Amino acid sequence: MLNEVDRAVKILQSGGIVGIPTETVYGLAASLAHPEAICRIFQVKGRPTDHPLIVHIADKQDLNRLACPIPPYVMCLMEHFWPGPLTLLLKKTEMVSSIITGGQDTVAIRMPAHPLALEIIQRVGPIVAPSANRFGKISPTTAEHVRQDLGDSVDFVVDGGRCSVGIESTILDATDPEYALIARAGILKASDFNTFLGYECVHSNQKSNMVAPGNLNSHYCPNKPLKLFSDLKMLEQLQKKYANSVHVLSFDNMPHNPTDYAYQLYFQLRLADLSDAAIIAVELPSDLTGWEAVLDRLKKAST
Ligand code: TXA
Ligand code: MG
């Protein structure tokens, strides 16, 4: 009898699309060998075609076929953080189709740490895997979420349990041979990279106003309106305005450190969406250091 991984491998090899677990969020996978399957991913997600996809690999050697040049600092980061929640943005080679990169000359690549994802990629070869949700919505952190969001429009979903990180990978723009920038905040943060880079790594929006595709202001949205509050008075005003029909995520019911908070964030927002409340109100942390990734998601979800 075929197990779930066997089945996923077979479907991907024959040009299908499959929901797969990663340590960050569930991805919607298609093989790099099947451009028609990659196109189908854009349709199923309702994603604009200029919004590039992340290539996922299981063998570090594949990096050399997909990207060039590879700056020395990238080798160092890769050795330390792969497999894991770090995506590297590099100049692409001609091996990477412009369907994947939205017509850009760069490619985003990561090696996920989930054992089932690694096994699937080892057997299929490199895949693309955007988060397995409809465009602009919350990423799924369980197989059930993927089925709820995408239903029959995907060929299969592999159940690998709940994602251990809970939010999307950190994207590091490594297209400059001298200088890396954080393009999307994640659980791995600037201070994790500084010792390897030898300088203070900053977020790309602190350096320029260029808006990378995917760095839209509104993203990661629950179905209900999401409002942020920083003190009790603001929450009381929301309760009054929405006739007490408010689902509250505060530090009374959410974790106090950013890693545990990230693990809960999308999961709890989905529960909030299922509640009877008219809106979701989320308390902002008072100390912002270390909370960059969570704040990024909350700000975009509330726009
Ligand atoms: O944790 C993750 O990275 C998850 C799991 C499934 O691996 N994947 C994920 O993929 O978050 P997605 O497609 O939902 O988000 C990919 C982000 C987008 O914001 C996209 O714009 C950016 O990566 N990206 C991909 N390729 C890029 C490129 N060539 N240039 C700039 N941004 C790129
Ligand atoms: Mg996404």
Side-chain angles (χ1 to χ4, degrees):
M1 211 185 83
L2 291 183
N3 67 28
E4 289 200 16
V5 167
D6 292 336
R7 198 168 154 195
V9 167
K10 221 172 156 198
I11 295 169
L12 290 168
Q13 284 172 338
S14 51
I17 60 175
V18 176
I20 64 161
T22 84
E23 78 281 26
T24 56
V25 299
Y26 272 71
L28 181 55
S31 162
L32 249 58
H34 288 277
E36 73 288 358
I38 298 174
C39 292
R40 201 174 135 209
I41 283 187
F42 285 96
Q43 283 162 14
V44 165
K45 278 183 60 81
R47 180 172 175 132
T49 52
D50 63 355
H51 201 96
L53 306 175
I54 298 176
V55 174
H56 293 56
I57 61 175
D59 179 350
K60 287 176 187 158
Q61 297 301 326
D62 281 330
L63 192 65
N64 299 308
R65 295 196 298 123
L66 302 167
C68 185
I70 317 264
Y73 72 83
V74 166
M75 303 298 290
C76 188
L77 292 173
M78 187 181 75
E79 284 310 318
H80 195 80
F81 293 105
W82 279 6
L86 172 65
T87 296
L88 295 164
L89 189 61
L90 293 157
K91 294 274 183 211
K92 77 174 195 73
T93 65
E94 72 283 2
M95 295 287 295
V96 183
S97 151
S98 63
I99 305 170
I100 295 171
T101 66
Q104 305 204 62
D105 63 353
T106 53
V107 59
I109 305 177
R110 92 175 189 97
M111 185 185 290
H114 195 292
L116 298 187
L118 281 174
E119 190 184 340
I120 290 167
I121 303 164
Q122 267 151 14
R123 290 170 58 183
V124 174
I127 57 167
V128 292
S131 52
N133 51 282
R134 296 206 188 275
F135 186 64
K137 293 295 180 179
I138 304 174
S139 297
T141 54
T142 68
E144 190 52 34
H145 294 165
V146 181
R147 290 189 207 104
Q148 285 162 4
D149 286 2
L150 303 178
D152 290 340
S153 53
V154 300
D155 299 317
F156 184 53
V157 182
V158 175
D159 192 341
R162 188 166 159 190
C163 301
S164 60
V165 174
I167 58 170
E168 305 80 359
S169 60
T170 304
I171 303 182
L172 201 69
D173 181 342
T175 50
D176 185 323
E178 305 291 334
Y179 201 84
L181 290 166
I182 293 176
R184 178 174 72 185
I187 276 309
L188 293 175
K189 48 195 185 305
S191 55
D192 296 310
F193 304 129
N194 291 344
T195 44
F196 298 93
L197 296 173
Y199 52 85
E200 194 78 25
C201 187
V202 298
H203 200 284
S204 52
N205 61 15
Q206 287 170 251
K207 256 208 114 199
S208 78
N209 288 324
M210 189 198 86
V211 178
N215 266 347
L216 309 171
N217 289 331
S218 170
H219 217 88
Y220 318 115
C221 295
N223 296 324
K224 295 182 200 290
L226 188 151
K227 309 280 177 191
L228 301 172
F229 68 95
S230 47
D231 56 45
L232 214 56
K233 202 165 155 230
M234 279 175 82
L235 178 60
E236 279 166 10
Q237 281 166 353
L238 287 170
Q239 296 281 19
K240 213 165 151 190
K241 186 169 171 193
Y242 293 95
N244 288 323
S245 188
V246 180
H247 187 103
V248 182
L249 297 184
S250 73
F251 286 98
D252 290 338
N253 57 19
M254 288 291 280
H256 289 233
N257 75 75
T259 304
D260 294 339
Y261 194 104
Y263 175 68
Q264 291 292 348
L265 179 61
Y266 292 155
F267 193 87
Q268 294 301 333
L269 287 178
R270 280 176 185 264
L271 290 181
D273 259 343
L274 292 175
S275 76
D276 293 332
I279 67 153
I280 307 166
V282 182
E283 183 175 11
L284 286 166
S286 49
D287 178 12
L288 302 184
T289 41
W291 288 85
E292 293 82 359
V294 165
L295 276 175
D296 168 65
R297 306 311 189 273
L298 286 178
K299 278 190 195 150
K300 286 174 179 161
S302 65
T303 307

